[in-house]
Amino acid sequence: MAITGEDVTLYDIFPISNDFAVVEVSSADEPSFVGADTRVRLNFQDGELEVRLPFGSHSRLFLSEVNRAWSDVCKSPKEAPKFEWLHKYRKASKDQGGVKQTLAPLGTTHTKISQHKKTGNSLNAVSRSPVEGNKRVNSGVEPPRVESGPESQGKVKREGWDELKREGRDDLVRQSSHTASNKATMLAMPQFGLRDNLVRCELLKNEDIYTYLENFSFFLGTYNVNGQTPKEGLRPWLGSTSTPPDMYCVGFQELDLSKEAFFFNDTPKETEWMKAVSEGLHPDAKYALVKLVRLVGIMLLFYVRNEHAKHISEMEAETVGTGIMGRMGNKGAVAIRFRFHNSDICVVNSHLAAHIEEYERRNQDYKDICSRLLFRQHDPALAPLAIMKHDVVLWLGDLNYRLSDLDVDNVKDLIAKKDFETLHSYDQLKRQIDEKAVFVGFVEGEIGFLPTYKYDTGSDQWDTSEKCRVPAWCDRILWRGKNVRQLLYQSHMDLKTSDHKPVSSLLEIGIKLVNEESYKKTFEEIVRSLDKMENECIPSLTLSRRELQFKDVKFMQHQAETLTLFNDGQVPCQFEFIQKLDQPTYCKPWLTANPAKGFIAQGGNMDIDLEVFVNRSTATELNAGRQQIEDILVLHLERGKDYFLSVTGNYLPSCFGSSIQTLCQLRDPIQEMPLETIRELTSSGDETRSVIIDKPLDIPKEIWQMVDHLYRNALKQGELFQQPGLRSEFVEIRDCLDTGMPDSLPGSNHSVAEALLLFLDALPEPVVPFSLYQQCLECCSNTSQCKKVVSLLPRCHKNVFNYIAAFLRELLKHSTHNNLDVNILATIFAALLLRSPTKQDLAEKRKTQEFFQHFLVQDLS
């Protein structure tokens, strides 16, 4: 697997034209069993190329790309293309004479190529990996890399950083490809598809036969930098181990606290801290930056020693925000996953909810990250990988759990006595783990260092501000998996840039390495066994149930039913939920099957979770009765029959996802209204409605309830519309609005504020209708023109717009207490009140904010 730029050069370029063809090559003296390598000949203008492709999905994807390129050529104009993008590769091109090379463009298996005459224009590029056996050959291409040996004194090569800025970081690691496979004849060869998964599963079951463990050292570091720039070297933290680690996983939180970073995910501090880390790595080894991933102020950097880079593969990165509305990235996680030799590893850097009393919100953030953070697999036919589906999970970050039931003086007294064991018994994270509320199966080493929060910036002095925060171990490192041993767990008091202290953990992890001889023998035995089974048996399944019912489905509330599949046949089987005739997907948009496809060994079983979740995109049709909770699923068995499952249920209408016009016609809560009345109110055109009340409400009563609650209770509430509420409280607020019980809204101010945002987000037609969106953009810089557009809104919509704007102006009058300003409110509410009918670009986003700002600065004292 090519990892850094040093691993790949452009060997040559071959044209894909109308006379291009792919031909399978067979030979009598080579093995013909399924699972063997495939030989194909690429015929092109005035030449040909013979390639041996290793068995597996990598090859299928490669052939899919070639086939797609050829299909595009057949549709393209006859005129010769210019291929201007090739100019930057010219320096790496080879001689045009005949050459015979051993190449490895796919995986670590070498690909044999017989080279013949080559001429013509260029469309198909073959990359050459300069690795022959265990010998690494210098290709002459220098990647952006860190020279951290003694002779360079940790300085970063300037041309490397310049290249990094020009090309981005993706050239540092070969990413997985996610091209959907097509039905081309080449891809239907028996080597691929079901057999690939059968072999993979059997190899996994027999992994102990052909692998052995070897220990590698992983340095994990976490640092909340409180929006600061690097003011001191990081060597005391990152270079604190006696010997250089094999891997570095370095996480930051609060990298940038500016509004620009929060709303536009853009910050110059990324480069500044990346450079500081690169210069602070252990001086006795050279490291390559494999991956950087960032979400607002949460950043994770992954470095490996140069000699290990070639053993890294299947690298993926994902992010998930758990801030307001479950989207904002001021809180959340970034994560990477990769395969090192034969072990799958996941690293998560998270920043969970703040404040001592918000431990339940932190628990919710953790669960959201675990459920929503999914990695695409190299083979697009496979289901995404969850965090816990890895051999080893490493979790670091500012988890924000505090010390409960102790005041600041008691905590400082225990710290002075270095009685960390007693102090740790009051730690919220320890208590939540003991209650199995979070981090089930994770391990944390013994804490023998001072709490890492909160200090006066630039010192080792505990917080002396007016708030006088209670010291706490906010910054933590945990792990999950076998063959992991912690060598060090410590804080680093020498660094004083932030109000947190950085923490590090040095782990020794047993990594699975492959014995090639044993692997080959195991592989061949599996293939022979599968051949025999497939010739003799037809796959079959027993289903635990054929009907699934979901009762009283509600807006944004998960419901799940479990279906168990049992393989009662004599051969492993592969299943998949398939789409019905004339349907774009296998199920309705409110329904998912997890997993939707899979593989079951002979005699094995698998649980399928069928989940119903109604969100803003599906609520409107269900509220109106135009859709019901009804579907038929088709479960297809490869080489077997199809099974049919019935899904039924009932949906309880909600004000969330209902239109402003409809809600203004309802004086009673929506769930007290007959379904026929709701259906008639949501039908198209006022002239068809026979149930319109004489005097509709000026604004929906639900909006009035939420805004009135906030007006009476939250004008001075800090972080309003920025800090998320609790999901359990949102459920109570939604039920209160939909049923009218209880009389007053339950929940915290933050939960009511988030419910208001979710309500506006779920409106099928936004407060400013789609038809006026473009007009808003065009007049965004002119106050009088903006007011004129608002005057054109339908009466109910205009009332809602003015009502919300007036409330927000009241909030701004108390900005000294709630820390809100015009920019924050305009950014949050413009995205909801002026939604684009199509995908919104950054320029449009700024114009909608400018438009709404005109209505926030009126009447300000």
Side-chain angles (χ1 to χ4, degrees), residues 503-775:
V503 173
S504 69
S505 172
L506 184 66
L507 299 179
E508 183 180 77
I509 302 179
I511 299 296
K512 293 177 286 190
L513 274 65
V514 174
N515 180 304
E516 295 295 344
E517 190 63 34
S518 299
Y519 176 86
K520 182 180 178 183
K521 183 178 178 181
T522 304
F523 180 88
E524 291 172 349
E525 288 175 354
I526 289 170
V527 170
R528 280 195 294 270
S529 173
L530 289 177
D531 282 342
K532 183 178 179 182
M533 283 193 296
E534 282 196 342
N535 289 332
E536 295 176 355
C537 307
I538 296 175
S540 69
L541 285 175
T542 297
L543 281 63
S544 62
R545 55 205 292 196
R546 300 290 183 98
E547 297 179 355
L548 299 103
Q549 186 170 31
F550 296 87
K551 186 179 180 182
D552 294 342
V553 176
K554 297 180 180 181
F555 178 78
M556 282 188 67
Q557 186 165 319
H558 279 279
Q559 278 200 43
E561 294 288 335
T562 301
L563 166 71
T564 302
L565 307 181
F566 176 70
N567 183 352
D568 57 357
Q570 301 301 309
V571 63
C573 65
Q574 183 166 296
F575 69 88
E576 179 179 5
F577 288 100
I578 60 172
Q579 62 196 62
K580 300 177 285 292
L581 191 64
D582 300 327
Q583 296 293 320
T585 57
Y586 69 87
C587 67
K588 298 282 181 66
W590 40 261
L591 178 66
T592 55
N594 185 28
K597 59 180 72 174
F599 173 85
I600 308 176
Q602 191 273 325
N605 60 69
M606 180 176 290
D607 287 340
I608 309 294
D609 289 327
L610 290 163
E611 300 175 355
V612 169
F613 185 72
V614 176
N615 58 18
R616 60 176 179 152
S617 64
T618 53
T620 301
E621 294 296 299
L622 289 164
N623 283 333
R626 291 188 289 269
Q627 288 282 340
Q628 284 79 38
I629 302 295
E630 292 178 359
D631 202 0
I632 299 291
L633 299 183
V634 182
L635 181 67
H636 173 69
L637 195 58
E638 188 81 21
R639 297 177 56 247
K641 65 178 183 178
D642 292 343
Y643 301 82
F644 296 88
L645 291 93
S646 169
V647 177
T648 58
N650 68 295
Y651 180 70
L652 299 180
S654 175
C655 61
F656 290 84
S658 296
S659 71
I660 292 175
Q661 298 278 12
T662 297
L663 293 174
C664 283
Q665 297 287 333
L666 299 178
R667 292 191 177 275
D668 295 322
I670 192 167
Q671 286 183 17
E672 290 188 6
M673 303 296 294
L675 289 178
E676 283 305 315
T677 301
I678 298 172
R679 289 192 182 101
E680 198 160 345
L681 283 171
T682 53
S683 61
S684 58
D686 288 351
E687 67 280 356
T688 65
R689 301 175 183 168
S690 61
V691 294
I692 293 178
I693 60 179
D694 293 336
K695 190 176 187 311
L697 301 172
D698 290 332
I699 62 172
K701 59 189 176 303
E702 295 83 2
I703 292 180
W704 176 84
Q705 283 179 268
M706 289 184 280
V707 171
D708 182 66
H709 178 98
L710 296 173
Y711 180 78
R712 288 185 288 105
N713 300 290
L715 288 180
K716 296 182 180 181
Q717 177 73 59
E719 296 187 310
L720 194 68
F721 297 116
Q722 297 172 81
Q723 181 177 319
L726 285 172
R727 188 150 314 128
S728 58
E729 292 181 349
F730 168 75
V731 167
E732 295 174 357
I733 293 166
R734 177 205 61 208
D735 289 349
C736 175
L737 295 172
D738 288 341
T739 65
M741 297 183 297
D743 293 334
S744 60
L745 288 178
S748 67
N749 291 336
H750 292 302
S751 294
V752 175
E754 186 170 21
L756 175 61
L757 298 181
L758 288 168
F759 181 94
L760 296 173
D761 189 48
L763 289 172
E765 181 85 5
V767 177
V768 176
F770 292 126
S771 59
L772 294 173
Y773 176 78
Q774 195 60 40
Q775 210 168 325

Side-chain angles (χ1 to χ4, degrees), residues 804-854:
I804 290 175
F807 165 64
L808 297 180
R809 291 197 295 272
E810 286 297 313
L811 276 179
L812 290 172
K813 292 177 181 178
H814 298 83
S815 59
T816 53
H817 295 96
N818 57 37
N819 293 320
L820 291 170
D821 61 35
V822 169
N823 287 331
I824 292 175
L825 292 178
T827 302
I828 294 170
F829 280 87
L832 301 172
L833 302 178
L834 289 86
R835 296 206 311 267
S836 172
T838 57
K839 186 172 176 61
Q840 189 181 56
D841 61 28
L842 187 58
E844 287 185 13
K845 190 175 182 181
R846 293 186 186 277
K847 286 182 178 180
T848 60
Q849 292 164 17
E850 186 179 355
F851 177 94
F852 192 54
Q853 281 181 0
H854 294 296

Side-chain angles (χ1 to χ4, degrees), residues 240-257:
S240 58
T241 58
S242 57
T243 57
D246 294 303
M247 313 263 176
Y248 275 97
C249 302
V250 184
F252 291 95
Q253 307 84 39
E254 295 190 358
L255 197 76
D256 192 332
L257 299 176

Side-chain angles (χ1 to χ4, degrees), residues 749-808:
N749 291 336
H750 292 302
S751 294
V752 175
E754 186 170 21
L756 175 61
L757 298 181
L758 288 168
F759 181 94
L760 296 173
D761 189 48
L763 289 172
E765 181 85 5
V767 177
V768 176
F770 292 126
S771 59
L772 294 173
Y773 176 78
Q774 195 60 40
Q775 210 168 325
C776 293
L777 300 183
E778 292 168 359
C779 69
C780 66
S781 58
N782 187 310
T783 303
S784 61
Q785 289 296 316
C786 291
K787 290 180 179 179
K788 185 176 180 181
V789 172
V790 171
S791 71
L792 300 175
L793 300 182
R795 189 185 67 85
C796 291
H797 286 246
K798 180 169 60 178
N799 292 340
V800 170
F801 185 94
N802 290 329
Y803 183 61
I804 290 175
F807 165 64
L808 297 180

